[in-house]
Amino acid sequence: MTISNLGMYGTEEFVAIINPPQSAILAVGGAKKQAVVIDDQLAIATVVQFTLSVDHRPVDGAVAAEWMKTFIGIVENPMRILL
């Protein structure tokens, strides 16, 4: 698996192409402040876009989706790493 970060160049969101022999690549965009709804209240939060590209020959799409769900959960609540 590869991680590609273009956020430091001001790119907010992109889709990365898998480089063989990796089976997945995670594209990381830049962080930006935007309006979000938290507990039915409007708030300002720092938002980052992540895009996961997966080669479905070695990796099942459902497994990749579960990995992404867990990854996002950890990014949103880093204390989960300690559990």
Side-chain angles (χ1 to χ4, degrees):
M1 181 167 183
T2 303
I3 298 174
S4 180
N5 178 9
L6 294 179
M8 64 256 192
Y9 297 111
T11 303
E12 293 178 8
E13 183 178 357
F14 67 103
V15 177
I17 298 173
I18 300 167
N19 302 305
Q22 282 79 22
S23 56
I25 187 165
L26 182 68
V28 181
K32 67 176 185 170
K33 291 191 180 292
Q34 70 181 46
V36 297
V37 177
I38 301 173
D39 296 327
D40 293 330
Q41 298 290 323
L42 192 58
I44 302 297
T46 302
V47 178
V48 177
Q49 295 291 328
F50 296 100
T51 305
L52 181 65
S53 300
V54 177
D55 182 345
H56 286 264
R57 292 174 292 183
V59 179
D60 183 87
V63 173
E66 191 63 37
W67 183 91
M68 191 68 168
K69 179 181 175 183
T70 301
F71 174 76
I72 295 299
I74 291 170
V75 169
E76 290 176 346
N77 185 5
M79 294 302 289
R80 285 185 56 192
I81 293 173
L82 301 176
L83 301 176

